[in-house]
Amino acid sequence: MKTKLIFVTGGVVSSLGKGIAAASIGAILESRGLKATIVKLDPYINVDPGTMSPFQHGEVFVTEDGYEADLDLGHYERYTDIVTSRKNNFTTGQIYNSVITKERRGEYLGKTVQVIPHITDEIKKNIYKAAEGFDVALIEIGGTVGDIESLPFLEAIRQVGHELKQSQTLYIHLTLIPYIPAAEELKTKPTQHSVTKLREIGIQPDILLCRTDRDLNDDIRRKIALFTNVTFDAVIQAIDVDCVYEVPLRFHDEGLDDKIVEFLQLWTKRSNLQIWADIVHSYKNPKDEVNIGVVGKYVELKDSYKSLHEALTHAGVAQNLKVNIEYIDSEAVIEKNGAKAWESCDGILIPGGFGERGVEGKIETIRFARENSVPYFGICLGLQVAIIEYARNILGLTEANTAEIDQNAKDNVIDLMAEQKSVTDMGATMRLGAYPATLVPGSKIAEIYGSNEISERHRHRYEVNNKYVPLLEEKGLVMSGKNLNLDLVETIELKEHPWFIAVQYHPEFKSKPTKPHPLFYRFVEASYNNKQKAK
């Protein structure tokens, strides 16, 4: 195998940032001219995160080929040139499902099917397949070392290191160096225990990434190196940063990429991270700020809208603006308390979501934005509730609703497509992945894209009911984009409004700090203009 494999594991606690670490390493390696990919191995038994609550797992990221993936794939795409697919993420559920299917077909010839070798062989097969054709493949292992769920994955990557040449594999372990205020010192013991646990499994890390909120001095690094059996210069400080896009710069300053190419015996050009330096400079030195209200129902966990948050940040950085995002609970704040939290916002965005909770608060929010010329951006459900609001308040269809809430409503302006009505399984059965759309020439959204033909990623089950489209258009709502093959509405806008655009797809999945999505760029721009006008 020609591809070099870098395995990224984590210890001590979860949420240390393995995904951002892996993505940042990918960014540095790409800057050195290497072709890289990143794969996430998730230890949960769910086949994919598609049916998991955003409160538990954060957002579901959608790939071009329609796979519902772990949110870390969003980091991979934002930091690198990688376009992820279903090959970039697999779970315990998928592995066991594949092995059991093979056993039922008799492929194991009557053998007793076991974790070793059958489960670990299936894991290795997936790793090797995903790594084909790349110079380097980063393999991130989800969970924390010591978790029982992660053991088959860790055993599989141990076996990979045993099977391949030493210069073909590299083990990077991300760990925590906590500061104890009472003792007024950093403690290395958690890292020592984490590495000990990893070595018990048979994996000796080559490089340690030490997550810390303050600088590690040489004495601490030597202590860590001594007790974990890594070299002094392989103890890399992963200090907290104000801007996540600063991580590649910090890793490079620590010499991480030099250490990686040394271990893997790679010949590369020198890294050029100027684009990341420019992004961080703009982020830290904005000329002004703009307030965006995001009205949803998963606002308690910001990771529920991770790609959305980052897309707004990208748009702000590109315009040298600080984007202040106020997450507003449409049910608790607007519906139950009657609060008009969005009145102080320069622009309003309603993201995707599922279920009936909070829908009435979103409808009230859209009416405010429409009637008061406040820039409005609707995404997925944000388009559907905009259709409901317009039908109720402009068309006079006071009982207009979505079949998702009330299948027997008098006017279901949002409904299921025919093929969706027979669906019984909830997982991976929505309209998922990239679909084309044709935009109306001369429309605002066509001008923003600079094209009449686009392709964007979808994740939804309900659609605009075509029965009501002529009436909506007659009353001034512009259906500015359609999927002509499926005859489905993709985008809407209002001509006389300063900026009122809603889309059925998820543009946030394709935004990068190096290339902000044009819809987010122009929405933030319109919101800032609204702020300037109000002065």
Side-chain angles (χ1 to χ4, degrees), residues 44 48-63 66-74 78 89 298 301-308 354 428 430 432 457-459 506 508-509:
Y44 49 74
D48 60 49
T51 57
M52 295 168 70
S53 167
F55 290 123
Q56 283 200 357
H57 199 70
E59 79 168 5
V60 174
F61 188 80
V62 179
T63 62
Y67 175 71
E68 293 174 293
D70 182 83
L71 64 81
D72 278 330
L73 270 70
R78 285 188 284 273
N89 184 209
Y298 304 120
L301 181 66
K302 301 302 182 286
D303 272 357
S304 301
Y305 302 114
K306 189 63 180 176
S307 292
L308 184 82
F354 298 92
M430 292 183 275
L432 290 167
R457 300 179 195 178
H458 293 64
R459 184 179 183 250
H506 289 268
E508 67 269 27
F509 291 146

Side-chain angles (χ1 to χ4, degrees), residues 163-234:
E163 293 169 2
L164 301 181
K165 293 178 182 178
Q166 190 172 7
S167 62
Q168 277 191 277
T169 59
L170 174 68
Y171 296 90
I172 297 178
H173 189 54
L174 177 65
T175 184
L176 178 69
I177 309 292
Y179 178 78
I180 308 300
E184 295 185 343
E185 64 179 340
L186 290 159
K187 291 294 184 181
T188 65
K189 192 64 72 178
T191 291
Q192 295 176 42
H193 283 306
S194 181
V195 173
T196 298
K197 200 72 180 173
L198 197 59
R199 291 169 69 186
E200 286 175 2
I201 298 165
I203 298 171
Q204 167 63 51
D206 301 300
I207 296 174
L208 291 181
L209 298 180
C210 300
R211 185 74 187 269
T212 173
D213 65 352
R214 62 203 66 210
D215 288 319
L216 303 178
N217 61 40
D218 285 353
D219 288 341
I220 290 176
R221 292 194 194 216
R222 287 193 189 93
K223 182 178 180 181
I224 293 168
L226 177 65
F227 282 96
T228 60
N229 201 34
V230 302
T231 59
F232 172 77
D233 60 349

Side-chain angles (χ1 to χ4, degrees), residues 287-305:
K287 67 179 181 184
D288 205 347
E289 54 188 43
V290 60
N291 299 319
I292 303 294
V294 175
V295 181
K297 70 172 184 178
Y298 304 120
V299 296
E300 294 94 336
L301 181 66
K302 301 302 182 286
D303 272 357
S304 301
Y305 302 114

Side-chain angles (χ1 to χ4, degrees), residues 40-109:
K40 175 72 183 289
L41 281 57
D42 274 309
Y44 49 74
I45 297 175
N46 304 66
V47 172
D48 60 49
T51 57
M52 295 168 70
S53 167
F55 290 123
Q56 283 200 357
H57 199 70
E59 79 168 5
V60 174
F61 188 80
V62 179
T63 62
E64 282 285 297
D65 62 345
Y67 175 71
E68 293 174 293
D70 182 83
L71 64 81
D72 278 330
L73 270 70
H75 296 314
Y76 305 162
E77 289 205 8
R78 285 188 284 273
Y79 282 75
T80 70
D81 294 330
I82 297 166
V83 178
T84 59
S85 70
R86 60 189 67 245
K87 289 198 301 185
N88 293 85
N89 184 209
F90 55 92
T91 69
T92 295
Q94 290 171 21
I95 296 297
Y96 274 82
N97 187 49
S98 178
V99 169
I100 290 169
T101 300
K102 289 178 180 178
E103 185 274 330
R104 294 288 81 189
R105 288 200 299 254
E107 291 187 24
Y108 297 119
L109 304 176

Side-chain angles (χ1 to χ4, degrees), residues 234-255:
V235 179
I236 305 295
Q237 176 177 280
I239 198 164
D240 295 353
V241 292
D242 297 326
C243 173
V244 291
Y245 301 117
E246 193 174 351
V247 177
L249 299 170
R250 291 299 184 105
F251 281 175
H252 173 68
D253 290 343
E254 286 281 308

Side-chain angles (χ1 to χ4, degrees), residues 327-392:
Y327 289 97
I328 302 165
D329 190 313
S330 56
E331 181 184 37
V333 175
I334 299 172
E335 291 180 11
K336 292 183 178 177
N337 296 326
K340 303 294 187 288
W342 20 254
E343 289 184 343
S344 61
C345 297
D346 304 312
I348 295 170
L349 189 154
I350 293 183
F354 298 92
E356 64 180 292
R357 284 199 305 110
V359 165
E360 293 301 322
K362 292 171 185 175
I363 291 170
E364 184 181 349
T365 298
I366 293 167
R367 180 172 185 169
F368 168 81
R370 180 177 57 79
E371 293 179 344
N372 292 277
S373 296
V374 175
Y376 172 72
F377 189 10
I379 294 174
C380 197
L381 181 62
L383 175 141
Q384 296 174 5
V385 288
I387 294 282
I388 296 170
E389 189 279 329
Y390 206 82
R392 287 184 185 179

